[in-house]
Structure formats: C-alpha cells, structure tokens
Amino acid sequence: MHRIIPVPKLKPGATRNQKCHPAKEKDMAKINLPPARLNDWKEVILKKMAEVLDKYRSVRLYLDICVKCGACADKCQFFLGTGDPKNMPVARADLLRRVYKKYFTLGGKVWGSLNEAEELSESLLADWYTYFYQCSECRRCAVFCPYGIDTAEITMAAREIMAAAGIATKYVTEVVAKVYDTGNNLGIWPAAWKDNCAFLEEDLREIEGVDIKFPVDQVGAEVLLVPPSADNFVNTNTMIGYAKMFHAAGISWTTSTYCNEGGNFGLFLNYYNLKKVNNRILEAARQLKVKKVYWGECGHAWRAGLAFTTTLSGSMDFLEIPYPVHICDLTWELIRKKAFKIDKTANDQFLVTYHDPCNVARAAGYFEPPREIIKATCNHFVEMPADTIREKTYCCGAGGGLLADEIMEIRLAGGKPRAEACRSTGANYLATICAICKANLPEVMKHHRVNCEVGGVHDLLGRALVLKG
Ligand code: SF4
Ligand code: SF4
C-alpha cells in the first residue's frame, strides 16, 4: 500500500504538553460562557454530556458502535506526525467514550474498568483538553471507518461539553468574541476595513491602470461577498482576484462592515455561537438588500454556510436561488460563459497543485470547481497522490481552531503528510481555497523544506484575467 509518510513508532505522551492557552475571562463573558472553570465542573460536565447525548443522537451512536478494528488508527495526520497514540482517532474518541460508559451505560456502571469505563477525573479532563484540541475536526478518519464513525463529531461534542463548564481555548474564544465586536475574526474595525479597500483600489489603479472598486456597505448591490477577513488583509491577491472578476463580469457587489467574515469559529466551540455567527451573514444580506450571497475562499465558512445556515439560522428564501453559493461556482460559471478573457501564460512560472481543504472537500463534497478554475487559468497543473486528495485529503495541520502559536509543533507535525504529498509532485504553487490552510501551509512547507508557494485559486485567476481598461 502506498503511504505518503510511514506509520510512526508509538511515542506515548509525546504531545501531552502541547496545550492551547486557556480562554480569557473577558472573551468567555462575551460569548455566553462561564468566565473560568467552574468549581462544580464535574457535575456541569456530566449534565451537559447527558444533554448532548440526548440531543445529538449520532454522538451516542458513535460512542456505542466502535468495534476497535483499528482501521482509523493510522489515518489521522496528528498521529502520523507525532506518534502519540492518543492522537489515533479511536483513542481520542475513547477519552469521551470511557466517561460515557461509566455514567451512561449499564455495563460501565456495573463492570467499571472491565467494560472500559472510567471516572471523570482531573487527569482525564486534562487529556480531554489536550487531545480534543489536537483534533482539527477534519473527518479524515470517518472516511476509513467501516461504520462511518465520525470522530470530528465526538470532538465537537467534547468541546461543547467542556465549554459549558468554562473550559475552552484562548484562540477560539478570542476569535468568536472579535466577531461580535468588529464583524470579523481578525478584529478589524469598520474604518480600517474601508481604508484597506481604498488602499487596494489605489494599488490596482497604479499597477493595472484600471479603476476597480472594492465596495463596502453598498445598499442595493446585487451580491454580498463574505470572504474570510484574512483575504482583505493578508491574502490580498485572493481579494484582488474576486474584485477583478466582479469588475470584468459587470457584477455589482459589496462587502459588509457588520459581517465581513465568512469564517465561523462557533463550529469549533458550540452550537450556540455557531448559530449566532452564522446569523450575521443573513442579517447583513437583509440590511444591504442584496439578491445573492457568495461565500469566499474559506473552508469552515463553507461548511458552516452549507450545512448549518438553513437548519440553525433560518431560510435564505429572501435571496435568489440557488443558495448558498460558493464563489468558485460563480467563477467557474463565468469562465464557461467566457465572460472575460484569460491569458493562461500569466501563470506559466507555476507548476500548480491543489490542496483540498477538509471542510470544503470532505465535509461538503466540493472537489471540481476549484480544479476547473485552476486548469482554465494555468497551463501546468498536477495532482497529488490519490490517497491524499479529494475526500481523502489531509488537514493542513491547523484547522478546527488549532491555528494557535503555542501549539506550533502540532501544526507542523500535522501538516507533514500534506508537505510530503506536495513534494512528490514537484509543484511550486500549492493552491487552496481556505484562509486557515493559507496561514498554516507556508509554515509547514518551510519547516519540511518543500520549496512551494501557497496561495488562493482566485490569485491565479487575478493574474490571468485580461482587463480591457
Ligand atoms: S477528525 Fe481528523 S484530526 Fe480528528 S481524529 Fe479524525 S483524522 Fe484526526
Ligand atoms: S475504524 Fe471505526 S470501528 Fe474501527 S476503531 Fe476506528 S472508529 Fe472504531
């Protein structure tokens, strides 16, 4: 069997001390969680666990049906990168399963450890915090489980349960709190957002000699774009790609300073905040009276938008169908219609390969449009090995709320399979449609000495699109 990296030797406890910093009281208060770990944390956790088991039947099912076949054991990039056995999906899930058995099953209550049941203790809680925040909720393990057990859902449940007792990470809670303060994950205030849009306009006027707009808060625009906020400040070539395309196709569009973020870190914390963050997109669309909303290049934004908007935030039927729509769907449609001219030679310096972000690919079944855009805008494209792409894609190493500086070792180790898969192609441009991947993969490539630029799909479009002036 082909393996992009070998199965490592077991190193028990290797990543035990790689912990995310705990949440700050001020952020917890803003996102409706107890400010710090509650004194009666054990009772609160067991009560919340009962609620979760009752509400999310899939979690109970996943905890009940695992036969310990081991098929998932070597499929997680965090186990492959670290060798810590608690990063095997089955072992990660067992951290919650043992408590489930102890308090919620007859066998566990009667037979205790003989039935793999364990008391909820301080040390087990420490393992929950460590290892459920070393899982990027990528779902790769679920693809290989003969029973379809989705450890990501177990991780989501564990995080929700801990959060109820005031236990969460600084990074995730800080990001959610920033959204409520400023409208986006980066904490960019409206004036700075507008300034940056004006700066990008000026830049393009100088470089291209064309007056391309980056409209903000335009009531009555046809389209509301909800990019990851990083596109406006960090991955600006992606933002430029969107703007050039809207300009060339004659589509009126806008961003919103109330909601200039597609990303939804509620997905990595609890359903309450997932819903509240998602609601903002629909509120912004109503405020600006747009007809369409396009989600930008962000993995978990698309998963949250596609899987949870209608179920949690209500109908989008005030928009034109179809909804929700990924920006790549529009781009690919415009390319097929020949809405603008493309000069593929503008990207001839690149041998491009494509990294499927977990939340776009595995969680949303979205594989072809980004590839079609790349092939339409570049002459040189190569796929990575089949067992590392599409539904079998590896995480970049920092999804699921793991893009925290203090766990850089985990991020780099988790990104190793992707780095090796990229190396095997000889590509010098790794395209992807996720802001988290774009943030972590450059670090991963540098660390594993793979000489490859990382960028967006719309960056390639922006370079190749020929403007009339
Ligand atoms: S969901 Fe992804 S990160 Fe989590 S255990 Fe499964 S493979 Fe590992
Ligand atoms: S593959 Fe599925 S059934 Fe087998 S050990 Fe993993 S989670 Fe359990």
Side-chain angles (χ1 to χ4, degrees):
M1 182 187 167
H2 169 262
R3 284 187 186 279
I4 202 67
I5 63 171
V7 177
K9 280 201 181 118
L10 291 187
K11 294 182 207 146
T15 64
R16 190 175 36 213
N17 297 322
Q18 292 282 313
K19 288 180 192 290
C20 291
H21 292 330
K24 288 184 177 163
E25 291 194 3
K26 68 172 176 53
D27 293 327
M28 294 291 268
K30 279 182 194 161
I31 63 176
N32 200 34
L33 288 174
R37 193 175 92 168
L38 298 170
N39 291 334
D40 58 345
W41 60 269
K42 193 168 170 180
E43 289 73 31
V44 173
I45 281 181
L46 292 175
K47 193 167 163 226
K48 186 70 184 177
M49 195 162 169
E51 183 194 315
V52 165
L53 290 168
D54 196 41
K55 218 160 150 188
Y56 313 127
R57 302 286 295 278
S58 54
V59 175
R60 186 186 282 270
L61 186 74
Y62 295 153
L63 292 174
D64 275 334
I65 65 173
C66 174
V67 295
K68 309 286 168 74
C69 70
C72 61
D74 60 350
K75 304 304 185 299
C76 175
Q77 52 278 324
F78 295 101
F79 169 65
L80 290 173
T82 67
D84 190 323
K86 285 185 181 160
N87 273 321
M88 290 177 178
V90 56
R92 196 187 311 282
D94 263 1
L95 295 172
L96 191 70
R97 187 174 285 119
R98 293 208 292 271
V99 175
Y100 164 68
K101 286 194 171 177
K102 175 72 192 167
Y103 298 94
F104 299 94
T105 68
L106 186 60
K109 282 178 191 166
V110 175
W111 298 104
S113 59
L114 291 175
N115 199 40
E116 297 177 324
E118 187 177 336
E119 290 256 2
L120 178 57
S121 62
E122 191 76 53
S123 70
L124 189 55
L125 180 65
D127 271 359
W128 278 21
Y129 184 76
T130 303
Y131 292 101
F132 286 122
Y133 281 100
Q134 287 183 12
C135 167
S136 60
E137 302 180 358
C138 78
R139 301 192 132 105
R140 189 169 196 271
C141 46
V143 173
F144 297 90
C145 173
Y147 298 92
I149 293 172
D150 185 351
T151 304
E153 279 215 30
I154 293 175
T155 293
M156 287 166 78
R159 290 186 186 183
E160 174 141 17
I161 291 164
M162 285 190 281
I167 302 160
T169 69
K170 173 176 170 282
Y171 176 55
V172 171
T173 53
E174 201 170 66
V175 168
V176 178
K178 274 183 197 160
V179 170
Y180 300 149
D181 280 345
T182 65
N184 58 72
N185 290 359
L186 294 186
I188 305 160
W189 292 97
W193 182 270
K194 285 179 187 163
D195 278 356
N196 213 54
C197 286
F199 171 76
L200 290 174
E201 285 177 3
E202 208 179 295
D203 230 25
L204 272 181
R205 220 172 1 250
E206 258 175 43
I207 298 165
E208 305 267 357
V210 184
D211 200 16
I212 295 173
K213 298 291 179 203
F214 289 72
V216 184
D217 294 336
Q218 295 286 311
V219 178
E222 187 185 349
V223 166
L224 169 65
L225 175 72
V226 277
S229 52
D231 283 357
N232 204 25
F233 272 73
V234 188
N235 309 313
T236 48
N237 283 332
T238 308
M239 196 75 187
I240 287 170
Y242 306 143
K244 279 184 162 182
M245 178 182 72
F246 285 128
H247 174 91
I251 295 171
S252 73
W253 67 291
T254 187
T255 55
S256 153
T257 52
Y258 174 72
C259 176
N260 36 21
E261 181 63 65
N264 188 333
F265 271 49
L267 189 63
F268 311 141
L269 185 63
N270 63 8
Y271 280 96
Y272 171 86
N273 284 291
L274 168 58
K275 175 180 174 177
K276 206 171 156 193
V277 172
N278 237 16
N279 285 352
R280 297 174 68 89
I281 295 177
L282 299 193
E283 286 160 16
R286 285 196 171 95
Q287 281 167 16
L288 296 173
K289 301 183 176 26
V290 296
K291 294 188 186 129
K292 294 170 185 161
V293 178
Y294 290 120
W295 272 253
E297 290 193 5
C298 176
H300 67 280
W302 184 236
R303 177 164 158 208
L306 184 70
F308 296 105
T309 305
T310 307
T311 46
L312 292 181
S313 302
S315 174
M316 287 178 269
D317 61 4
F318 64 96
L319 298 169
E320 278 182 5
I321 50 171
Y323 47 76
V325 186
H326 195 286
I327 188 79
C328 287
D329 282 337
L330 170 71
T331 309
W332 177 223
E333 187 192 336
L334 292 172
I335 290 173
R336 280 198 314 261
K337 282 184 181 163
K338 300 194 189 317
F340 35 71
K341 205 172 156 216
I342 285 174
D343 173 15
K344 290 165 83 164
T345 63
N347 287 314
D348 268 358
Q349 69 273 38
F350 297 130
L351 173 57
V352 181
T353 192
Y354 177 66
H355 164 70
D356 292 275
C358 306
N359 281 314
V360 177
R362 201 161 28 245
Y366 198 75
F367 307 118
E368 300 311 329
R371 287 180 165 80
E372 295 297 347
I373 297 167
I374 293 169
K375 285 186 240 167
T377 55
C378 304
N379 282 314
H380 312 297
F381 174 67
V382 60
E383 288 279 18
M384 287 182 273
D387 59 346
T388 73
I389 58 170
R390 298 176 187 267
E391 74 278 2
K392 292 179 186 157
T393 188
Y394 281 102
C395 174
C396 67
L402 304 191
L403 192 71
D405 292 345
E406 63 271 22
I407 55 163
M408 183 58 92
E409 266 184 52
I410 294 291
R411 290 165 48 186
L412 297 174
K416 191 174 178 197
R418 174 49 71 229
E420 295 307 330
C422 183
R423 193 197 311 275
S424 74
T425 64
N428 62 358
Y429 188 101
L430 180 61
T432 190
I433 53 170
C434 173
I436 301 279
C437 302
K438 286 178 203 168
N440 201 48
L441 285 172
E443 304 281 352
V444 166
M445 294 296 151
K446 197 164 78 190
H447 178 78
H448 296 288
R449 296 197 166 86
V450 181
N451 191 13
C452 188
E453 186 180 328
V454 179
V457 165
H458 283 83
D459 309 33
L460 297 168
L461 173 77
R463 276 195 200 91
L465 203 153
V466 181
L467 293 170
K468 291 191 188 105

